[in-house]
Amino acid sequence: MRLKNPFKKRSSVQGLPEPPGGEEPETSQLAFAVPNSNRSLWSGGLVRGLTPEKLASILDAVRQGETPAEYLEIAGELEQRDAHYRSVLSTRKHAVEGLQIFVQGTGDSAQEKEIAAAVEGDILNHPDIMDLRKNALDALGKGFSVNEIIWDTSGSRWKPKTFLFRDPRWFAYEKETGVLRLREPAGNGIVPLEPFRFVIHEPNLLAGMQITSGLSFTALFYWLIKNYDITSWAAFADRFGYPVRLGKYGKKATKEDIATLKRAVAAIGSDVGAVIPDSMIIEIVESTTTGTNSLVYQKLAEWVDKELSKLVLGQTASAEGTPGALGGQPGQEEVRQDICRADALQFDQAINRDLVIPYVNFNFGEQAAYPRIKTKLVESKNVQMIVDAVSKLAPMGLKVKKAEMLTLLGLSAPAEDDEVLEQPAVPAGMTGFNSAEQRLALNAGEAAEVPDPDPVDPGEDAGGFIAVSDDIAGVLDKALNKATDFKSFEKELEKLASEWPADKIARLLAVATFKARVKGMEEFDT
């Protein structure tokens, strides 16, 4: 039996104005925008006039347990204004967004399967589930994110209708308890968030206060350094990046001549030309140290970008585009995988706590165990190394699933009518010793020198060599199949040949002698 209606009329609980649209109380919005209030959609922008003193004051307020809307607004503007920070932060988010998610059931009973199927149909396959995950990852920068769940309670099964991202400026942490609350439209009051109505993602990136764990809290310091650096760099380029124009006039020049020269010097900067009397001279003087001095600004900006890369991604190689850096430094790639894994697992925790469990309770009642939405974490693999290992170990008895190899290579299984690539057929008559040796050579991907499958008949061979009989070839074949190295092959051969007649041993020696003779002739060209 599902739970009783947990949705109360918001007006009787909070005394807040109704949201636009006139929705039913069960599906109405709670954290909706109110124009010209603490929950406005728009902002005037704070970064433009941000000074070190102002930023320090805002960050100090955050450390003291406040949640100033100015801090959250600046954190959002930081992503808009700094291209590098936005790039690396988006890269970290996309690493999680690109992973597949699935439903992990709790058992094989009919009810457990029914609940898991319902979660998969109504939540995992919801058309807005990817937007929910993307918006939830906004918490990486600001320390938290809130998505309001709009429930559809019109049918027999209650399910999420949509998910609405809410501006983080509309929320604040209660100073005494550290619990996230909703700001009232007017004044400084905050009200509790009603249960079952929000997906709250608070990634544990740093121990301590949640609001200070967001990446923006650290990134703002580096951004301020970079902002002042680039401003000074632009002023330096404007002042010293252009060559100095000097106008020279003689002792007999009149005031009108000097004024003409001034206009000419000023016009050269924009018109690239001027007309002056032949008694005057204009010289263009270029600084020889401008380029060297400007490198100071460039190096400082690059240093800040590297620090931001390390803060967000845990490494700098992928962000800086260093050729072969990630391949040559596997440790950096491992750190990146660790970050991606932690982000994915913490998102799973939030969506299961705030969405899956309430959904199951509404429709199926409380359960001892709940199905879970989980992210499929795929470790980076060296495909070439795995393929080489399989090609060498398969002939020695290693069994590998064909489906796993196809997945690793990114290939699909062929249909019945598809044209496929196949291994060349083994020529007829290649049996015994030759077939075993050829098989090993093909599996290892190497060309092997194989004796003639049809040795010359003793009566026709001018050299008098004797052909290898089938029973001798069969013994060799068995020895090769059982052997793991050359020493074990010798032992197997001695064991199997212990009862051979003398004529068969002579034939074996004949073949070996013939092979040695042919190789010698090729080597010495005789």
Side-chain angles (χ1 to χ4, degrees), residues 39-112:
R39 300 217 298 262
S40 174
L41 286 174
W42 313 108
S43 65
L46 297 173
V47 169
R48 183 184 307 170
L50 189 64
T51 63
E53 293 78 13
K54 178 64 175 177
L55 178 60
S57 175
I58 293 174
L59 297 182
D60 284 342
V62 174
R63 291 190 187 94
Q64 293 169 10
E66 304 290 342
T67 313
E70 292 85 353
Y71 165 70
L72 296 168
E73 185 169 342
I74 293 173
E77 284 191 70
L78 176 60
E79 297 180 36
Q80 299 172 5
R81 289 177 174 268
D82 192 289
H84 183 81
Y85 178 72
R86 179 174 180 174
S87 174
V88 292
L89 187 59
S90 297
T91 299
R92 178 161 172 175
K93 293 177 182 178
H94 295 335
V96 178
E97 295 169 21
L99 298 176
Q100 295 181 352
I101 53 178
F102 65 97
V103 174
Q104 184 182 64
T106 57
D108 296 328
S109 69
Q111 184 182 21
E112 289 171 330

Coordinates of all heavy atoms in Angstrom, one line a residue, residues 39-112:
R39 N 14.2 36.1 -4.8 CA 14.2 35.0 -5.7 C 13.9 35.5 -7.1 O 13.1 35.0 -7.9 CB 13.1 34.0 -5.3 CG 13.3 33.4 -3.9 CD 12.9 31.9 -3.8 NE 11.5 31.7 -4.1 CZ 10.6 31.6 -3.1 NH1 10.9 31.6 -1.8 NH2 9.3 31.3 -3.4
S40 N 14.7 36.5 -7.5 CA 14.6 37.0 -8.9 C 15.4 36.2 -9.8 O 16.4 35.5 -9.5 CB 15.1 38.5 -8.9 OG 15.1 38.9 -10.2
L41 N 14.9 36.1 -11.1 CA 15.6 35.4 -12.1 C 16.9 36.1 -12.6 O 17.8 35.4 -13.1 CB 14.7 35.1 -13.3 CG 13.6 34.1 -13.1 CD1 12.7 34.1 -14.4 CD2 14.2 32.7 -12.9
W42 N 17.0 37.4 -12.4 CA 18.0 38.2 -13.1 C 19.0 38.7 -12.0 O 18.7 38.8 -10.8 CB 17.4 39.3 -13.9 CG 16.3 38.8 -14.8 CD1 15.0 39.1 -14.6 CD2 16.4 38.0 -15.9 NE1 14.2 38.4 -15.5 CE2 15.1 37.7 -16.4 CE3 17.4 37.4 -16.6 CZ2 14.8 37.0 -17.5 CZ3 17.2 36.6 -17.7 CH2 15.9 36.4 -18.1
S43 N 20.1 39.1 -12.5 CA 21.1 39.7 -11.6 C 21.8 40.9 -12.3 O 21.8 41.0 -13.5 CB 22.2 38.7 -11.2 OG 22.9 38.3 -12.4
G44 N 22.3 41.8 -11.5 CA 23.0 43.0 -12.1 C 24.4 42.8 -12.4 O 25.0 43.6 -13.1
G45 N 25.0 41.7 -11.9 CA 26.4 41.5 -12.2 C 27.3 42.1 -11.1 O 27.2 43.3 -10.9
L46 N 28.1 41.3 -10.5 CA 29.0 41.8 -9.5 C 30.5 41.8 -9.8 O 31.3 42.4 -9.2 CB 28.8 41.0 -8.2 CG 27.4 41.0 -7.6 CD1 27.3 40.0 -6.5 CD2 27.1 42.4 -7.1
V47 N 30.9 41.0 -10.8 CA 32.3 40.8 -11.1 C 32.9 42.1 -11.6 O 34.1 42.3 -11.4 CB 32.5 39.6 -12.1 CG1 33.9 39.6 -12.7 CG2 32.1 38.3 -11.5
R48 N 32.1 42.9 -12.3 CA 32.7 44.1 -13.0 C 33.4 45.0 -12.0 O 34.5 45.5 -12.2 CB 31.6 44.9 -13.7 CG 32.1 46.1 -14.4 CD 30.9 46.9 -15.0 NE 30.0 46.0 -15.8 CZ 28.8 46.3 -16.2 NH1 28.3 47.6 -16.0 NH2 28.1 45.5 -16.9
G49 N 32.9 45.2 -10.8 CA 33.5 46.1 -9.8 C 34.1 45.3 -8.7 O 34.3 45.9 -7.6
L50 N 34.4 44.1 -8.9 CA 34.9 43.3 -7.8 C 36.4 43.7 -7.5 O 37.2 43.7 -8.3 CB 34.9 41.8 -8.1 CG 35.2 40.8 -7.0 CD1 34.1 40.9 -5.9 CD2 35.2 39.4 -7.6
T51 N 36.7 43.9 -6.2 CA 38.0 44.3 -5.8 C 38.5 43.2 -4.8 O 37.7 42.4 -4.3 CB 38.0 45.6 -5.0 OG1 37.2 45.6 -3.9 CG2 37.5 46.7 -6.0
P52 N 39.8 43.1 -4.5 CA 40.3 42.2 -3.5 C 39.6 42.3 -2.2 O 39.3 41.3 -1.5 CB 41.8 42.4 -3.5 CG 42.1 43.0 -4.8 CD 40.9 43.8 -5.2
E53 N 39.4 43.6 -1.8 CA 38.7 43.8 -0.5 C 37.3 43.3 -0.5 O 36.9 42.6 0.5 CB 38.8 45.3 -0.1 CG 40.1 45.9 0.1 CD 40.9 46.1 -1.2 OE1 40.2 46.1 -2.3 OE2 42.1 46.4 -1.1
K54 N 36.6 43.5 -1.5 CA 35.2 43.1 -1.6 C 35.1 41.6 -1.6 O 34.3 40.9 -0.9 CB 34.5 43.7 -2.9 CG 33.1 43.2 -3.1 CD 32.2 43.7 -2.0 CE 30.7 43.4 -2.3 NZ 29.8 43.8 -1.2
L55 N 36.0 40.9 -2.4 CA 36.0 39.5 -2.5 C 36.3 38.9 -1.1 O 35.7 37.9 -0.7 CB 36.9 39.0 -3.6 CG 37.1 37.5 -3.7 CD1 35.7 36.8 -4.1 CD2 38.1 37.1 -4.8
A56 N 37.3 39.4 -0.5 CA 37.8 38.9 0.8 C 36.6 39.0 1.8 O 36.4 38.1 2.6 CB 39.0 39.7 1.3
S57 N 35.8 40.1 1.8 CA 34.7 40.3 2.7 C 33.6 39.2 2.4 O 33.1 38.6 3.4 CB 34.1 41.7 2.5 OG 32.9 41.8 3.3
I58 N 33.4 38.9 1.2 CA 32.4 37.9 0.8 C 32.8 36.5 1.3 O 32.0 35.8 1.9 CB 32.1 37.9 -0.7 CG1 31.4 39.3 -1.1 CG2 31.2 36.8 -1.1 CD1 31.2 39.4 -2.6
L59 N 34.1 36.2 1.0 CA 34.6 34.9 1.4 C 34.6 34.7 2.9 O 34.4 33.6 3.4 CB 35.9 34.6 0.7 CG 36.0 34.6 -0.8 CD1 37.4 34.3 -1.3 CD2 35.0 33.6 -1.4
D60 N 34.9 35.8 3.6 CA 34.9 35.7 5.1 C 33.5 35.4 5.6 O 33.4 34.7 6.6 CB 35.5 37.0 5.7 CG 37.0 37.1 5.5 OD1 37.6 36.1 5.3 OD2 37.5 38.2 5.6
A61 N 32.5 36.0 5.0 CA 31.2 35.8 5.4 C 30.8 34.3 5.2 O 30.1 33.7 6.0 CB 30.2 36.7 4.6
V62 N 31.3 33.7 4.1 CA 31.0 32.3 3.8 C 31.6 31.5 4.9 O 31.0 30.5 5.4 CB 31.5 31.9 2.4 CG1 31.3 30.4 2.2 CG2 30.7 32.7 1.4
R63 N 32.9 31.8 5.3 CA 33.6 31.0 6.3 C 32.9 31.1 7.6 O 33.0 30.2 8.5 CB 35.0 31.5 6.4 CG 35.9 31.2 5.2 CD 37.3 31.5 5.5 NE 38.2 31.4 4.3 CZ 38.5 32.4 3.5 NH1 38.0 33.6 3.8 NH2 39.3 32.2 2.5
Q64 N 32.2 32.2 7.9 CA 31.5 32.3 9.2 C 30.1 31.7 9.2 O 29.4 31.9 10.2 CB 31.5 33.8 9.5 CG 32.8 34.5 9.8 CD 32.8 36.0 9.8 OE1 31.7 36.5 9.9 NE2 33.9 36.6 9.8
G65 N 29.8 31.0 8.2 CA 28.5 30.3 8.2 C 27.4 31.0 7.4 O 26.3 30.4 7.4
E66 N 27.7 32.1 6.8 CA 26.7 32.8 6.0 C 26.6 32.2 4.6 O 27.6 31.5 4.2 CB 27.0 34.3 6.0 CG 27.1 35.0 7.3 CD 25.8 35.1 8.0 OE1 24.7 34.9 7.4 OE2 25.8 35.3 9.2
T67 N 25.5 32.4 3.9 CA 25.4 32.0 2.5 C 25.0 33.2 1.7 O 23.8 33.3 1.3 CB 24.4 30.9 2.4 OG1 24.6 29.9 3.3 CG2 24.6 30.3 1.0
P68 N 25.9 34.2 1.6 CA 25.5 35.4 0.8 C 25.2 35.1 -0.6 O 25.9 34.4 -1.3 CB 26.7 36.3 1.0 CG 27.9 35.4 1.2 CD 27.3 34.2 2.0
A69 N 24.1 35.7 -1.1 CA 23.7 35.5 -2.5 C 24.8 36.0 -3.4 O 24.9 35.6 -4.6 CB 22.4 36.1 -2.8
E70 N 25.5 37.0 -2.9 CA 26.6 37.6 -3.8 C 27.7 36.6 -4.1 O 28.2 36.6 -5.2 CB 27.2 38.8 -3.0 CG 26.4 40.0 -2.9 CD 25.5 39.9 -1.6 OE1 25.5 38.8 -1.0 OE2 24.8 40.9 -1.3
Y71 N 28.0 35.7 -3.2 CA 29.0 34.7 -3.4 C 28.5 33.7 -4.5 O 29.3 33.4 -5.5 CB 29.3 33.9 -2.2 CG 30.0 32.6 -2.4 CD1 31.4 32.6 -2.9 CD2 29.4 31.4 -2.3 CE1 32.0 31.5 -3.1 CE2 30.1 30.2 -2.6 CZ 31.4 30.2 -3.0 OH 32.0 29.1 -3.3
L72 N 27.3 33.3 -4.4 CA 26.7 32.4 -5.4 C 26.6 33.0 -6.8 O 26.8 32.4 -7.8 CB 25.4 31.8 -5.0 CG 25.5 31.0 -3.7 CD1 24.1 30.7 -3.1 CD2 26.2 29.7 -3.9
E73 N 26.3 34.3 -6.8 CA 26.2 35.1 -8.1 C 27.6 35.2 -8.7 O 27.7 35.0 -9.9 CB 25.6 36.4 -7.8 CG 25.3 37.2 -9.1 CD 24.5 38.4 -8.9 OE1 23.8 38.5 -7.8 OE2 24.5 39.3 -9.8
I74 N 28.6 35.5 -7.9 CA 30.0 35.6 -8.5 C 30.5 34.3 -9.0 O 31.1 34.2 -10.0 CB 30.9 36.2 -7.4 CG1 30.5 37.6 -7.0 CG2 32.3 36.1 -7.8 CD1 31.3 38.2 -5.9
A75 N 30.1 33.2 -8.2 CA 30.5 31.9 -8.7 C 29.9 31.5 -10.0 O 30.6 30.9 -10.8 CB 30.1 30.8 -7.6
G76 N 28.7 32.0 -10.2 CA 28.1 31.7 -11.5 C 28.7 32.6 -12.6 O 28.9 32.1 -13.8
E77 N 29.0 33.8 -12.3 CA 29.6 34.7 -13.3 C 31.0 34.2 -13.7 O 31.5 34.4 -14.8 CB 29.7 36.1 -12.7 CG 28.4 36.9 -12.8 CD 28.6 38.4 -12.5 OE1 29.1 39.1 -13.3 OE2 28.2 38.8 -11.4
L78 N 31.7 33.6 -12.7 CA 33.0 33.1 -13.0 C 33.0 32.1 -14.1 O 33.9 32.1 -15.0 CB 33.6 32.4 -11.7 CG 35.0 31.7 -11.8 CD1 36.0 32.7 -12.2 CD2 35.3 31.1 -10.5
E79 N 32.0 31.2 -14.2 CA 31.9 30.3 -15.3 C 31.6 31.0 -16.6 O 31.9 30.5 -17.7 CB 30.8 29.3 -15.0 CG 31.1 28.4 -13.7 CD 30.0 27.4 -13.5 OE1 29.5 26.9 -14.4 OE2 29.7 27.1 -12.3
Q80 N 30.9 32.1 -16.5 CA 30.6 32.8 -17.8 C 31.7 33.7 -18.3 O 31.9 33.8 -19.5 CB 29.4 33.8 -17.5 CG 28.1 33.1 -17.0 CD 27.1 34.0 -16.5 OE1 27.2 35.3 -16.7 NE2 26.0 33.5 -16.0
R81 N 32.6 34.2 -17.4 CA 33.6 35.1 -17.9 C 35.0 34.5 -18.2 O 35.7 35.0 -19.0 CB 33.8 36.2 -16.8 CG 32.6 37.2 -16.8 CD 32.8 38.2 -15.7 NE 31.7 39.2 -15.7 CZ 31.8 40.4 -16.3 NH1 32.9 40.7 -17.0 NH2 30.8 41.2 -16.2
D82 N 35.3 33.4 -17.4 CA 36.7 32.8 -17.6 C 36.5 31.6 -18.5 O 36.0 30.6 -18.1 CB 37.3 32.4 -16.3 CG 38.7 32.1 -16.4 OD1 39.0 31.0 -17.0 OD2 39.6 32.9 -15.9
A83 N 37.1 31.7 -19.7 CA 36.9 30.6 -20.7 C 37.6 29.3 -20.2 O 37.1 28.2 -20.4 CB 37.5 31.0 -22.1
H84 N 38.8 29.5 -19.6 CA 39.5 28.3 -19.2 C 38.8 27.6 -18.0 O 38.7 26.3 -18.1 CB 41.0 28.7 -18.7 CG 41.8 27.5 -18.4 ND1 42.4 26.7 -19.3 CD2 42.1 26.9 -17.2 CE1 43.1 25.8 -18.7 NE2 42.9 25.9 -17.4
Y85 N 38.4 28.3 -17.1 CA 37.7 27.7 -15.9 C 36.4 27.0 -16.4 O 36.1 25.9 -16.0 CB 37.3 28.7 -14.9 CG 36.5 28.2 -13.7 CD1 37.1 27.4 -12.8 CD2 35.2 28.5 -13.6 CE1 36.4 26.9 -11.7 CE2 34.5 28.0 -12.5 CZ 35.1 27.2 -11.6 OH 34.4 26.7 -10.5
R86 N 35.7 27.6 -17.3 CA 34.5 27.0 -17.9 C 34.8 25.8 -18.6 O 34.1 24.8 -18.6 CB 33.7 28.0 -18.8 CG 32.5 27.5 -19.4 CD 31.7 28.5 -20.2 NE 30.5 28.0 -20.8 CZ 29.6 28.8 -21.4 NH1 29.8 30.1 -21.5 NH2 28.5 28.3 -21.9
S87 N 35.9 25.8 -19.4 CA 36.3 24.6 -20.2 C 36.6 23.4 -19.3 O 36.1 22.3 -19.5 CB 37.5 25.0 -21.1 OG 38.0 23.8 -21.7
V88 N 37.5 23.6 -18.3 CA 37.9 22.5 -17.5 C 36.7 22.0 -16.6 O 36.6 20.8 -16.3 CB 39.1 22.8 -16.6 CG1 40.3 23.0 -17.5 CG2 38.9 24.1 -15.8
L89 N 35.9 22.9 -16.1 CA 34.7 22.5 -15.3 C 33.7 21.7 -16.2 O 33.1 20.7 -15.7 CB 34.1 23.7 -14.7 CG 32.9 23.4 -13.7 CD1 33.5 22.6 -12.5 CD2 32.3 24.7 -13.1
S90 N 33.5 22.2 -17.4 CA 32.6 21.5 -18.3 C 33.2 20.1 -18.6 O 32.4 19.1 -18.8 CB 32.4 22.3 -19.6 OG 31.8 23.5 -19.3
T91 N 34.5 20.0 -18.8 CA 35.1 18.7 -19.1 C 34.9 17.7 -17.9 O 34.5 16.5 -18.1 CB 36.6 18.9 -19.2 OG1 36.9 19.7 -20.4 CG2 37.3 17.5 -19.5
R92 N 35.0 18.2 -16.7 CA 34.7 17.3 -15.5 C 33.2 16.9 -15.5 O 32.9 15.8 -15.2 CB 35.1 18.1 -14.3 CG 34.8 17.3 -13.0 CD 35.6 17.8 -11.8 NE 35.2 17.2 -10.6 CZ 35.8 17.4 -9.4 NH1 36.8 18.2 -9.4 NH2 35.4 16.8 -8.3
K93 N 32.3 17.8 -15.8 CA 30.9 17.5 -15.8 C 30.6 16.5 -16.9 O 29.9 15.5 -16.7 CB 30.1 18.7 -16.0 CG 30.1 19.7 -14.8 CD 29.3 21.0 -15.1 CE 29.4 22.0 -14.0 NZ 28.6 23.2 -14.3
H94 N 31.1 16.7 -18.1 CA 30.9 15.9 -19.2 C 31.4 14.5 -19.0 O 30.8 13.5 -19.6 CB 31.4 16.4 -20.5 CG 30.8 17.8 -20.9 ND1 29.6 18.1 -20.6 CD2 31.3 18.8 -21.7 CE1 29.3 19.3 -21.1 NE2 30.3 19.7 -21.7
A95 N 32.5 14.3 -18.2 CA 33.0 13.0 -18.0 C 32.0 12.1 -17.3 O 31.9 10.9 -17.5 CB 34.3 13.1 -17.1
V96 N 31.1 12.7 -16.4 CA 30.1 12.0 -15.7 C 28.8 11.9 -16.6 O 28.2 10.8 -16.6 CB 29.7 12.7 -14.4 CG1 28.6 11.9 -13.7 CG2 31.0 12.8 -13.5
E97 N 28.5 13.0 -17.3 CA 27.3 13.0 -18.1 C 27.4 11.9 -19.2 O 26.4 11.4 -19.7 CB 27.1 14.3 -18.8 CG 26.8 15.4 -17.7 CD 26.8 16.8 -18.4 OE1 26.7 16.9 -19.6 OE2 27.0 17.8 -17.6
G98 N 28.6 11.6 -19.7 CA 28.8 10.6 -20.8 C 28.7 9.2 -20.3 O 28.7 8.3 -21.2
L99 N 28.6 8.9 -19.0 CA 28.6 7.6 -18.5 C 27.1 7.1 -18.5 O 26.2 7.8 -18.3 CB 29.1 7.5 -17.1 CG 30.6 7.8 -17.0 CD1 31.0 7.8 -15.5 CD2 31.5 6.9 -17.8
Q100 N 26.9 5.8 -18.8 CA 25.6 5.2 -18.8 C 25.1 4.9 -17.4 O 25.9 4.7 -16.5 CB 25.6 3.9 -19.6 CG 25.9 4.0 -21.1 CD 25.9 2.7 -21.8 OE1 25.7 1.7 -21.2 NE2 26.0 2.8 -23.1
I101 N 23.8 5.0 -17.2 CA 23.2 4.6 -15.9 C 22.3 3.5 -16.1 O 21.7 3.3 -17.2 CB 22.5 5.9 -15.3 CG1 21.5 6.5 -16.3 CG2 23.5 6.9 -14.8 CD1 20.7 7.6 -15.7
F102 N 22.1 2.7 -15.1 CA 21.2 1.5 -15.1 C 20.6 1.3 -13.8 O 21.0 1.9 -12.8 CB 22.0 0.3 -15.6 CG 23.1 -0.1 -14.6 CD1 22.8 -1.1 -13.6 CD2 24.3 0.5 -14.5 CE1 23.8 -1.5 -12.7 CE2 25.3 0.1 -13.6 CZ 25.0 -0.9 -12.7
V103 N 19.6 0.4 -13.7 CA 18.9 0.1 -12.5 C 19.4 -1.2 -12.0 O 19.4 -2.2 -12.7 CB 17.3 0.1 -12.7 CG1 16.6 -0.4 -11.4 CG2 16.8 1.4 -13.1
Q104 N 19.8 -1.2 -10.7 CA 20.2 -2.5 -10.1 C 19.1 -2.9 -9.1 O 18.8 -2.2 -8.2 CB 21.5 -2.2 -9.3 CG 22.1 -3.5 -8.6 CD 23.3 -3.2 -7.9 OE1 23.3 -2.5 -6.9 NE2 24.4 -3.8 -8.3
G105 N 18.5 -4.0 -9.5 CA 17.4 -4.6 -8.7 C 17.9 -5.1 -7.3 O 19.1 -5.2 -7.1
T106 N 16.9 -5.6 -6.5 CA 17.2 -6.1 -5.2 C 17.1 -7.6 -5.1 O 17.5 -8.2 -4.2 CB 16.3 -5.5 -4.1 OG1 14.9 -5.7 -4.5 CG2 16.5 -4.0 -4.1
G107 N 16.4 -8.2 -6.1 CA 16.2 -9.7 -6.1 C 15.4 -10.2 -7.3 O 15.2 -9.4 -8.2
D108 N 15.1 -11.4 -7.2 CA 14.4 -12.1 -8.3 C 12.9 -12.4 -8.1 O 12.3 -13.1 -8.9 CB 15.1 -13.4 -8.7 CG 16.6 -13.1 -9.2 OD1 16.8 -12.1 -9.8 OD2 17.4 -14.0 -8.9
S109 N 12.4 -11.9 -7.0 CA 11.0 -12.2 -6.7 C 10.1 -11.3 -7.7 O 10.6 -10.3 -8.2 CB 10.6 -11.9 -5.3 OG 10.7 -10.5 -5.0
A110 N 8.9 -11.7 -7.8 CA 8.0 -11.0 -8.7 C 7.8 -9.5 -8.3 O 7.9 -8.6 -9.2 CB 6.6 -11.7 -8.7
Q111 N 7.7 -9.3 -7.0 CA 7.5 -7.9 -6.6 C 8.8 -7.1 -6.8 O 8.8 -5.9 -7.2 CB 7.1 -7.8 -5.1 CG 6.8 -6.4 -4.6 CD 6.5 -6.3 -3.2 OE1 6.8 -7.2 -2.4 NE2 5.8 -5.2 -2.8
E112 N 10.0 -7.7 -6.5 CA 11.2 -7.0 -6.6 C 11.5 -6.6 -8.1 O 12.0 -5.5 -8.4 CB 12.4 -7.8 -6.1 CG 12.4 -7.9 -4.6 CD 13.3 -8.9 -4.0 OE1 13.6 -9.9 -4.7 OE2 13.8 -8.7 -2.9

